[in-house]
Amino acid sequence: MTWWQTELDRDSLLEHVCALAVEHSAPTTTYDVTRRLRRAVPKVLDWLEQWPGTTWQQRWLASGIESTGNDWMPSFIASHGMDAVTYEEPEGRSAMAWMLQGQILAPSMEWVLGQQFNYVLTRLPRAMDPAGHARLLAHCEVRGQVGPRALAYTVGTIGRILLSCGGTIGDITVGDCLAYMEAYQKVRPNGKFDRLFYTLLFELGVFGEHAPDRLRAWTVRGQLTVPELVDRYDIACKPVRDLLVDYFTVRSADLDYSTLRHSVQQVCQLWWKDLEEHHPGIDTLAMTPQMVIEWKERLKTIQLGGSRQGKPRLRQTSVILAVRALYLDIAHFAAHDPVRWSPWVIPSPIQAPGRQTAKESKRATARMHQRTRSLAPTLPVLARAVRNWRAATERLYAQAQDLPVGGHIKVDGQIWLRHQGRQSDGVRLFLAPAAGGEPWDLTREEEYSFWAWAAIETLQETGIRIEELLELTHYSFAAYTLPTTGETVPLLQVTPSKSDQERVILVSPELGEVMAAVIHRVRAGQASIPLISRYDQHEQIYTPRLPFLFQRRRGGIPTPLPPAYIQRVLEQALARSGLTDQLGEPVRYTPHDFRRIFTTDAIRAGLPPHIAAKILGHDDVNTTMGYAAIYPEDVINHHRAYLARRRATRPSEEYRDLTPGEWDEFIAHFELRKVALGTCTRDYGTPCSHEHACIRCPVLRPDPAEKDRLAEIAVNLEARIAEAQQRGWHGEVAGLEATLAAAHDKLRAMGDLTDRTHTYLGMPAMGRRSS
């Protein structure tokens, strides 16, 4: 391969390099630079002409410098006898750098990464492609989230690629990026690899719209083939291995990839590989009754580190059914292809689990219900704690954002200093205790608090699955006009996931507030939400590029949030809430717990089970009822309702018209509900059982507008408590303290109602997608 710069003669090459130096050097240094180049470049050319070739590139390759991976300067010095003339070494390096910028030579990626060209790399793209370099800088300025240090590193990476491949920034291909990544891992295995350069080039349209938007998409292995899935378990018997490959190849036509991968694991690892380990040399599917008994016994536990004392396996019957299905399917396949399958047809030695399946299902449901009953009372506490965490972190971040490095801020009596941190580009904000200690990444803390709040609020308001949460996009919102009233209500479209059914959920004001905050954050001042692709961990494929709502900037690259990140921020929120169980252990939530609690609360509130099933995306209403944990008080309330319905079945003569006195009594009951601090919510026909002690009454619904009145009452109660303590009225003290505690509870309830703001999210026009 050759090009015009490497074919230049000595004089033309010198003029080309000097002209390049004049164009890209400071005016005050132009004379000195060109003078040194005219003295040093001929010496570099003399050194290159020692090796054969018709072009300078051929001579460079013939020198063997790249194959050894060594620096070229020692050979250059030795060839010119410059051991005593040390000032010519930097001139020679400068001349070589300008020759490389002039594309006289095209060294390999490995050689470029092994040299110290930091003083050249940042100016290299500007020298080789001024228009492309200016376009790159303009895009970074508009895009934001790229600090000076990250930009310099990215420009240097692009400079290395141009140095090796030549051309302009627009000529860089995906293959060039992959070659650079491979060379980087080879030359600098412990270095920090920059992936931002690929994303910026993609956003500039260098690779075209059909290329992946992240470099990682080229390095992540997608779906494995059936032979590759089976070979992961290293089956010793080749005939059985081939049989299993053929079997799962047939089955794969009816299974999604996640189910196929799970089935291969059950049959190959948990069954056949286990048999090979305990019965070496086995080569037949015929199992003796004793072998079946021993295998089922081993299946009861999950072996940890080769020890027989393992963790109990909760789902055994699914493995047994998968193996039994193998025997039955082979017999069925033999009817259509006897040549391939008949030699393996034998009666299944594994009987159907029968009642064991029902027992296992009941135990799983009981565990799930007990977990739901224990977690449901803690959810309001967790939600309040994460709201407070977010609010406190946002206030601190706003106060510290404008601090210069070394500036201080006082928070809760502790002084914090603005720290330089591990990055000097100012994108991330670090604080360190003035008394000494490790720096605190406030940027990460603010991210954790926001996404914990957004995830918890969305999960508890909708009951959607974690994968459905992470697949929400800006296109998920729709407007629906009620046919009866003409009112337009916002809806949230949930994309198909586990049951492959799309469904819609009504957007409550609380959910609308969360979605508006997420959209505002992800936009980050831009006109639209970035379009990104998301890696489906179950199907192991990348989705099309969409405006996903749950995304964040990671190293300047828009990245969708993975399930592990949601679990991490959830654990951070639980740690700050201080919640513990009955044994004093920290409470642990999973994203699916919110779905179970949502279902239980909906059913208890009177939502018909078939409507709940539609909202949750369940095909069978029995699945929905399995999610709903029944409380003891639910049994009592339903029994009372049954008694009330039975009493209602009385002779018709007992029914009569309502008298005016009864109607007046009914109206008077509701007139007596309005009190100074809010509204009494006691049932009709029930007297005030607390003798009008409204502050301590649990059925009082406080009015946020009366918050100041209740605050005055609390201050008065504190004064009365002090007087009672002074006079020794201990009975009064106990009663007043109980009233004061109830007043503080009512004040917090009023604060929660006041803090919840309702934001109208806005609906995209029907028939037109917007981002």
Side-chain angles (χ1 to χ4, degrees):
M1 184 179 67
T2 185
W3 56 96
W4 68 269
Q5 291 97 327
T6 194
E7 295 177 352
L8 292 174
D9 56 55
R10 292 175 63 101
D11 294 337
S12 300
L13 186 152
L14 180 60
E15 295 302 323
H16 173 68
V17 172
C18 290
L20 188 68
V22 169
E23 182 180 358
H24 298 285
S25 298
T28 57
T29 62
T30 299
Y31 175 76
D32 292 335
V33 171
T34 55
R35 182 169 58 86
R36 287 195 300 268
L37 287 177
R38 291 187 180 279
R39 183 171 61 243
V41 168
K43 294 183 178 181
V44 175
L45 299 181
D46 291 341
W47 172 72
L48 285 173
E49 285 181 337
Q50 296 179 88
W51 291 280
T54 58
T55 65
W56 301 109
Q57 176 67 13
Q58 292 174 354
R59 298 184 181 104
W60 168 262
L61 296 175
S63 68
I65 292 297
E66 289 195 6
S67 60
T68 61
N70 296 328
D71 187 12
W72 65 282
M73 183 54 67
S75 175
F76 173 75
I77 292 176
S79 64
H80 288 78
M82 297 189 319
D83 294 325
V85 192
T86 56
Y87 71 87
E88 295 204 25
E89 178 180 341
E91 286 191 359
R93 291 190 181 277
S94 177
M96 176 63 76
W98 283 108
M99 289 175 61
L100 292 173
Q101 293 177 69
Q103 302 189 39
I104 307 300
L105 305 173
S108 65
M109 292 280 192
E110 290 83 357
W111 186 86
V112 171
L113 285 166
Q115 311 306 310
Q116 297 297 325
F117 280 133
N118 294 335
Y119 66 99
V120 177
L121 293 173
T122 54
R123 74 186 184 201
L124 197 60
R126 182 175 72 251
M128 299 181 68
D129 184 12
H133 180 260
R135 184 170 164 233
L136 175 65
L137 296 183
H139 172 71
C140 292
E141 183 176 356
V142 174
R143 179 184 189 272
Q145 297 292 322
V146 181
R149 180 176 178 180
L151 179 59
Y153 200 91
T154 296
V155 171
T157 300
I158 295 176
R160 289 189 181 95
I161 296 176
L162 293 179
L163 202 63
S164 178
C165 301
T168 64
I169 294 178
D171 297 329
I172 297 177
T173 65
V174 172
D176 297 334
C177 299
L178 295 177
Y180 175 78
M181 181 178 64
E182 182 180 354
Y184 192 96
Q185 294 172 349
K186 180 180 179 181
V187 177
R188 303 181 181 180
N190 299 322
K192 182 180 179 181
F193 183 70
D194 170 43
R195 299 179 183 271
L196 179 59
F197 81 95
Y198 179 92
T199 300
L200 293 178
L201 293 177
F202 172 82
E203 293 174 352
L204 286 173
V206 173
F207 306 132
E209 60 180 5
H210 298 296
D213 56 352
R214 283 174 293 161
L215 186 60
R216 185 175 182 271
W218 292 101
T219 60
V220 174
R221 178 66 187 271
Q223 296 182 352
L224 301 178
T225 62
V226 172
E228 290 172 332
L229 287 173
V230 174
D231 289 339
R232 289 193 305 173
Y233 304 107
D234 192 24
I235 295 177
C237 182
K238 190 177 185 306
V240 174
R241 178 263 179 197
D242 296 338
L243 172 72
L244 294 177
V245 168
D246 292 345
Y247 171 71
F248 283 111
T249 300
V250 176
R251 290 289 313 280
S252 63
D254 301 322
L255 301 176
D256 59 74
Y257 182 76
S258 178
T259 305
L260 173 64
R261 185 179 55 180
H262 185 60
S263 300
V264 171
Q265 181 199 17
Q266 289 179 324
V267 173
C268 295
Q269 181 186 23
L270 301 182
W271 174 60
W272 186 256
K273 189 62 178 178
D274 179 85
L275 291 181
E276 286 189 338
E277 291 176 354
H278 292 86
H279 303 278
I282 184 173
D283 59 357
T284 177
L285 300 186
M287 296 175 62
T288 64
Q290 185 61 30
M291 291 172 61
V292 174
I293 294 174
E294 293 174 354
W295 172 68
K296 288 184 177 180
E297 189 65 28
R298 293 191 298 268
L299 190 63
K300 291 181 180 180
T301 57
I302 300 175
Q303 303 301 322
L304 302 176
S307 173
R308 287 187 172 274
Q309 300 298 326
K311 178 181 177 182
R313 191 184 304 277
L314 301 179
R315 294 287 186 179
Q316 307 169 32
T317 56
S318 61
V319 182
I320 296 174
L321 290 174
V323 176
R324 175 176 168 79
L326 170 71
Y327 286 93
L328 300 180
D329 287 340
I330 290 177
H332 176 72
F333 297 161
H336 302 278
D337 187 2
V339 176
R340 176 67 185 95
W341 303 102
S342 293
W344 298 95
V345 173
I346 60 172
S348 174
I350 301 175
Q351 302 300 318
R355 296 179 59 185
Q356 182 65 25
T357 304
K359 286 184 178 181
E360 195 173 271
S361 178
K362 289 179 180 179
R363 290 170 184 167
T365 302
R367 288 193 302 268
M368 182 175 62
H369 286 179
Q370 180 58 34
R371 180 174 178 83
T372 302
R373 284 191 289 266
S374 62
L375 291 179
T378 66
L379 182 55
V381 180
L382 174 61
R384 183 165 55 249
V386 78
R387 285 196 293 267
N388 295 337
W389 179 29
R390 180 201 172 203
T393 307
E394 284 185 344
R395 287 194 301 268
L396 179 59
Y397 190 85
Q399 295 174 11
Q401 195 169 13
D402 297 330
L403 281 178
V405 175
H408 68 277
I409 184 175
K410 191 173 183 180
V411 181
D412 296 333
Q414 186 177 4
I415 299 178
W416 295 83
L417 300 178
R418 176 73 183 269
H419 194 268
Q420 183 76 16
R422 294 181 294 273
Q423 300 182 13
S424 59
D425 54 12
V427 175
R428 303 191 72 83
L429 196 158
F430 290 87
L431 294 180
E438 290 294 326
W440 180 34
D441 191 344
L442 185 57
T443 302
R444 183 176 62 180
E445 188 77 8
E446 191 273 336
E447 286 181 349
Y448 276 7
S449 64
F450 177 85
W451 290 117
W453 169 77
I456 290 174
E457 291 289 333
T458 305
L459 289 173
Q460 73 169 344
E461 287 289 335
T462 60
I464 59 179
R465 303 178 180 92
I466 179 62
E467 58 268 22
E468 295 169 343
L469 171 77
L470 299 179
E471 290 175 358
L472 291 177
T473 70
H474 204 197
Y475 302 145
S476 299
F477 299 99
Y480 178 72
T481 302
L482 297 176
T484 55
T485 62
E487 178 186 2
T488 301
V489 295
L491 298 177
L492 184 67
Q493 293 179 322
V494 180
T495 55
S497 59
K498 184 176 180 180
S499 59
D500 290 334
Q501 289 186 357
E502 187 176 27
R503 62 190 192 279
V504 293
I505 298 175
L506 182 66
V507 177
S508 63
E510 292 79 9
L511 180 59
E513 175 190 353
V514 176
M515 293 293 102
V518 170
I519 291 173
H520 176 75
R521 182 184 185 89
V522 175
R523 275 181 173 169
Q526 303 298 317
S528 60
I529 294 177
L531 300 178
I532 58 175
S533 59
R534 177 179 176 272
Y535 183 70
D536 189 328
Q537 296 182 345
H538 297 287
E539 296 298 318
Q540 295 188 351
I541 58 174
Y542 274 91
T543 66
R545 296 175 62 238
L546 293 169
F548 289 105
L549 297 182
F550 283 77
Q551 62 170 278
R552 66 183 179 117
R553 299 271 183 171
R554 188 177 181 185
I557 304 174
T559 307
L561 301 184
Y565 183 84
I566 298 297
Q567 185 63 49
R568 190 185 313 140
V569 299
L570 183 57
E571 292 172 356
Q572 293 286 334
L574 287 167
R576 282 159 178 77
S577 68
L579 289 170
T580 57
D581 56 18
Q582 296 177 350
L583 300 178
E585 298 293 331
V587 172
R588 184 179 183 273
Y589 269 80
T590 64
H592 211 71
D593 289 325
F594 295 95
R595 182 173 173 84
R596 299 189 183 104
I597 295 174
F598 173 86
T599 308
T600 301
D601 291 343
I603 299 297
R604 293 186 67 195
L607 186 69
H610 66 285
I611 301 297
K614 197 70 175 177
I615 294 175
L616 295 170
H618 287 158
D619 294 329
D620 189 356
V621 71
N622 291 322
T623 305
T624 306
M625 295 307 297
Y627 272 56
I630 305 300
Y631 290 77
E633 56 266 30
D634 293 332
V635 178
I636 297 173
N637 293 335
H638 281 80
H639 184 66
R640 286 178 174 175
Y642 164 73
L643 295 178
R645 289 194 301 269
R646 190 177 66 176
R647 292 192 189 102
T649 58
R650 294 180 177 177
S652 58
E653 59 269 12
E654 294 189 8
Y655 293 98
R656 54 182 174 78
D657 294 333
L658 189 66
T659 65
E662 290 173 335
W663 177 252
D664 293 339
E665 179 186 355
F666 179 76
I667 296 299
H669 165 80
F670 292 98
E671 291 176 350
L672 292 175
R673 278 187 165 192
K674 187 62 179 177
V675 294
L677 298 178
T679 304
C680 179
T681 61
R682 69 178 184 272
D683 295 337
Y684 169 72
T686 59
C688 181
S689 58
H690 300 92
E691 298 180 356
H692 305 285
C694 297
I695 295 179
R696 288 196 278 179
C697 183
V699 297
L700 171 67
R701 180 177 179 81
D703 184 1
E706 302 298 335
K707 187 176 181 179
D708 294 338
R709 179 191 297 273
L710 184 56
E712 293 177 2
I713 293 176
V715 172
N716 179 262
L717 286 170
E718 292 174 352
R720 292 177 60 188
I721 291 173
E723 180 186 3
Q725 289 175 342
Q726 181 180 2
R727 295 178 180 271
W729 301 336
H730 301 298
E732 286 286 336
V733 171
L736 291 173
E737 286 180 344
T739 305
L740 180 61
H744 287 160
D745 291 339
K746 294 293 190 296
L747 283 172
R748 282 193 293 270
M750 290 178 176
D752 291 344
L753 293 174
T754 304
D755 292 341
R756 280 193 173 275
T757 58
H758 296 165
T759 302
Y760 180 64
L761 184 61
M763 288 295 109
M766 299 300 293
R768 175 175 61 86
R769 298 195 306 178
S770 61
S771 59

